[in-house]
Amino acid sequence: MPKVIAIYPGSFDPPTNGHLDLIQRGSRIFDELIVAVLRNAEKAPLFSVAERASMLELLTHDYSNVRVDTFDGLTVEYAVKVNATCVLRGIRAVSDYEYELQMALMNRKLQPELETVFMLPAEKYSYLSSRLVREVAQLGGSIQGLVPGLVEQSLKAKLDPAYKLEQYSAGMAGLQGNKSKGRKKG
Ligand code: PNS
């Protein structure tokens, strides 16, 4: 049997626990899963493509059959390029279905060989979206438990200048400490 390669395309701005839940489920049923971050010039993202890809790389590090990539243009063309035969997408609620159905059927029209596989994330993430996470974080609400710790910290650093300053001061203090230690030795 040839190995089944799937792509999991999306914006991932930022990656949420719902995305990670789906990646974990996908990694169990596909031989190889490529998490593909769309480089979309039209949108004004919160995190750059490089930032999103590097967060996803760190978050999926433990899955040996998962890798992260970026793409632009048509999803179906990217799938062909990486020899994927499946597109993985998550459906959280009925409200997702219409958009996902449209996309899956359009992708099928463009590339009949490519199958879309829908998976359900854990029900505790069924209301979770990157857009809501961004909004809540931007307005100062708690996003604990909705995104991995790494993403929570990155959101804080991105949105809160005071947090950035705190981190910077802590870094500077560390540097000063190292310098004075170095001097003592010399
Ligand atoms: O996480 P998102 O933003 O819901 O992901 C949407 C995504 C990236 C899967 C979709 O916008 C997409 O496939 N874009 C690439 C361009 C493309 O192929 N468009 C036709 C889709 S039918």
Side-chain angles (χ1 to χ4, degrees):
M1 281 278 279
K3 67 177 191 166
V4 181
I5 303 174
I7 58 167
Y8 178 27
S11 306
F12 305 103
D13 186 31
T16 67
N17 283 343
H19 292 131
L20 286 181
D21 180 278
L22 216 73
I23 290 169
Q24 186 181 41
R25 289 171 200 279
S27 76
R28 290 196 202 120
I29 64 166
F30 298 113
D31 296 307
E32 190 182 336
L33 180 64
I34 304 169
V35 182
V37 183
L38 176 68
R39 294 197 296 266
N40 188 348
E42 277 174 39
K43 281 192 188 172
L46 182 60
F47 289 100
S48 71
V49 172
E51 285 171 327
R52 283 176 269 156
S54 74
M55 281 191 274
L56 282 163
E57 261 157 29
L58 289 167
L59 296 168
T60 58
H61 184 258
D62 290 344
Y63 303 108
S64 58
N65 62 341
V66 175
R67 69 180 173 90
V68 179
D69 195 8
T70 64
F71 78 105
D72 53 19
L74 288 173
T75 292
V76 293
E77 281 178 5
Y78 173 73
V80 169
K81 193 181 106 186
V82 295
N83 297 320
T85 50
C86 292
V87 177
L88 172 65
R89 291 287 290 172
I91 291 203
R92 292 161 297 188
V94 179
S95 49
D96 281 339
Y97 181 73
E98 211 170 320
Y99 170 62
E100 293 298 334
L101 177 77
Q102 263 189 331
M103 239 179 3
L105 292 178
M106 178 60 84
N107 283 340
R108 180 179 283 169
K109 168 87 178 73
L110 295 169
Q111 188 63 40
E113 303 293 298
L114 192 65
E115 286 298 339
T116 298
V117 176
F118 294 120
M119 293 186 85
L120 310 179
E123 55 272 36
K124 64 181 168 181
Y125 301 131
S126 60
Y127 64 95
L128 188 53
S129 72
S130 296
R131 186 184 63 78
L132 280 184
V133 164
R134 281 199 307 272
E135 191 172 310
V136 171
Q138 270 161 345
L139 296 172
S142 170
I143 47 162
Q144 206 179 5
L146 306 182
V147 294
L150 165 78
V151 175
E152 202 179 336
Q153 297 308 313
S154 306
L155 274 163
K156 275 190 189 146
K158 177 86 48 189
L159 299 170
D160 183 356
Y163 180 85
K164 243 187 239 173
L165 193 66
E166 218 172 87
Q167 299 292 97
Y168 177 74
S169 308
M172 288 304 276
L175 274 179
Q176 297 295 342
N178 287 344
K179 262 190 204 162
S180 54
K181 267 185 216 155
R183 267 190 222 114
K184 262 183 218 158
K185 271 187 205 157

